[in-house]
Amino acid sequence: MPTLLLSSLFPLVFVMALGWLSGKLGYMKRDDATVLATVVIRFALPLSLFIGALHTDPSKIQNLSFMTVLVIGLMGSYILTLCIARLLFRHDIKTSAIQSLVCAFPDMAYFGAPVLAVLIGPEGFLGVLIGNLITSVLMIPLTIVLIRMGDKNSALAQQGRLHHMILLNLFKAVRNPLVWIPVLGVAMSLMGIKPPELLSSSVEMMGKTAGGISLFALGLLFYGERPTLNVHTFTNISLKNVMQPAIMAVAGLAFGLSHSLMQQVVIIGATPSAIAAGMFAVRSDTYVESASSSILLGTAVGIVTEGLIIFMLS
């Protein structure tokens, strides 16, 4: 057991520390993390998910119970946080949408994928693949719609043309390499199509860089950040790192998931908030300090909670 925990979590801490140290020593600028993130999001991670889909048994891809549990866990956390933000904190709809994204959008690319790769192997990418589709097709478009509903300067919101916003953002989501490349891998797996070995090994070589580069970039992004702990950050971290995996676990038990699939959904739920949620806050100029503090402190806490969950599931 200690060996499993060490092999799952030590590489994360080590590579993130290298990224932070590179910023501290002046080897790289914090802004360089944006370039590294682009490499991961546009190339390495989509190809990694593509290979993961190809190597996954088609019967597991067609597991509707698994998909339903992920939808319940991800979107259930989002709706729960939206209610808390509106009713308890009395936020406007725009701020509530950002807080909901912070509490429900797991960092599957930077944090979740490396853990699942070590713990489960190539099939561990199935949860990342489906979770990414859910966030791309449901969570992010919904957040954008709510932000624009709360934006008094949005012409579309003033005209009430919300369906145009939804369709536009769904179209953008489909064009994203992080969506269509993994979907292509799923389709090829279901049809039994195997790419030539030369092409497969080349794609796999690039895909294997996703975990290391993403964690390095995450550590570099955190250099210079000074988080603040208050009621907002405490609530957000509790909802993301504790409540979401609990929802995943209850839903997984209700739908009778296998042990391997249960591991995937709970670990995805326990994964800290995605950096992308903080980017939404910055671009919207809303909830910026609380979002960035929640993501940074949540990632630090997430290393501990993820370890505890791996211990309980193994």
Side-chain angles (χ1 to χ4, degrees):
M1 183 60 63
T3 302
L4 177 62
L5 288 174
L6 197 62
S7 63
S8 300
L9 297 178
F10 181 77
L12 275 69
V13 177
F14 179 77
V15 179
M16 286 175 61
L18 284 181
W20 184 88
L21 195 61
S22 70
K24 176 70 173 178
L25 298 177
Y27 295 154
M28 298 185 73
K29 297 179 181 178
R30 190 173 182 273
D31 293 340
D32 293 337
T34 305
V35 178
L36 296 175
T38 301
V39 173
V40 171
I41 298 301
R42 296 297 184 188
F43 298 98
L45 184 60
L47 294 177
S48 180
L49 295 174
F50 175 81
I51 290 296
L54 282 179
H55 292 169
T56 300
D57 186 343
S59 63
K60 293 185 178 180
I61 295 178
Q62 295 173 309
N63 192 325
L64 293 179
S65 296
F66 183 57
M67 296 183 188
T68 303
V69 170
L70 282 171
V71 171
I72 292 172
L74 293 170
M75 297 309 299
S77 302
Y78 188 96
I79 294 170
L80 174 63
T81 307
L82 193 65
C83 293
I84 291 174
R86 293 286 285 168
L87 300 176
L88 184 61
F89 291 111
R90 302 293 181 180
H91 291 322
D92 56 49
I93 191 66
K94 186 176 180 179
T95 306
S96 299
I98 296 295
Q99 185 176 6
S100 299
L101 193 66
V102 169
C103 296
F105 189 2
D107 197 350
M108 292 176 282
Y110 288 116
F111 201 102
V115 173
L116 289 169
V118 172
L119 191 64
I120 299 174
E123 290 189 0
F125 286 111
L126 177 62
V128 177
L129 168 64
I130 297 174
N132 173 68
L133 292 175
I134 294 169
T135 55
S136 297
V137 175
L138 296 177
M139 189 180 294
I140 291 176
L142 175 59
T143 301
I144 293 172
V145 168
L146 293 176
I147 288 173
R148 292 185 180 178
M149 283 177 61
D151 188 353
K152 296 180 181 179
N153 297 321
S154 172
L156 284 174
Q158 290 174 352
Q159 295 170 16
R161 295 165 60 191
L162 296 181
H163 62 287
H164 287 183
M165 286 191 288
I166 295 172
L167 292 176
L168 177 62
N169 287 294
L170 285 176
F171 178 67
K172 288 181 178 180
V174 171
R175 292 176 57 194
N176 191 328
L178 200 52
V179 175
W180 72 263
I181 291 178
V183 168
L184 177 62
V186 170
M188 291 176 65
S189 177
L190 293 175
M191 293 185 290
I193 299 174
K194 298 294 183 183
E197 180 60 31
L198 185 62
L199 177 61
S200 179
S201 61
S202 301
V203 171
E204 190 168 359
M205 179 183 292
M206 184 64 192
K208 285 181 177 178
T209 66
I213 296 176
S214 62
L215 291 169
F216 187 92
L218 187 60
L220 183 58
L221 276 172
F222 286 158
Y223 172 69
E225 287 286 330
R226 298 184 181 277
T228 56
L229 181 61
N230 53 36
V231 65
H232 289 282
T233 54
F234 180 80
T235 301
N236 294 343
I237 293 170
S238 298
L239 287 169
K240 179 67 204 70
N241 292 24
V242 179
M243 184 58 68
Q244 190 173 61
I247 293 173
M248 293 279 197
V250 171
L253 289 172
F255 281 85
L257 293 186
S258 66
H259 180 68
S260 175
L261 295 180
M262 179 68 86
Q263 281 184 317
Q264 290 189 51
V265 296
V266 176
I267 287 173
I268 286 173
T271 299
S273 302
I275 295 292
M279 299 300 102
F280 270 86
V282 171
R283 278 187 298 212
S284 304
D285 193 24
T286 304
Y287 205 64
V288 177
E289 183 179 349
S290 294
S292 60
S293 295
S294 298
I295 293 168
L296 177 55
L297 293 174
T299 300
V301 173
I303 294 172
V304 178
T305 55
E306 198 92 313
L308 290 173
I309 286 173
I310 290 172
F311 177 80
M312 289 187 290
L313 290 175
S314 300

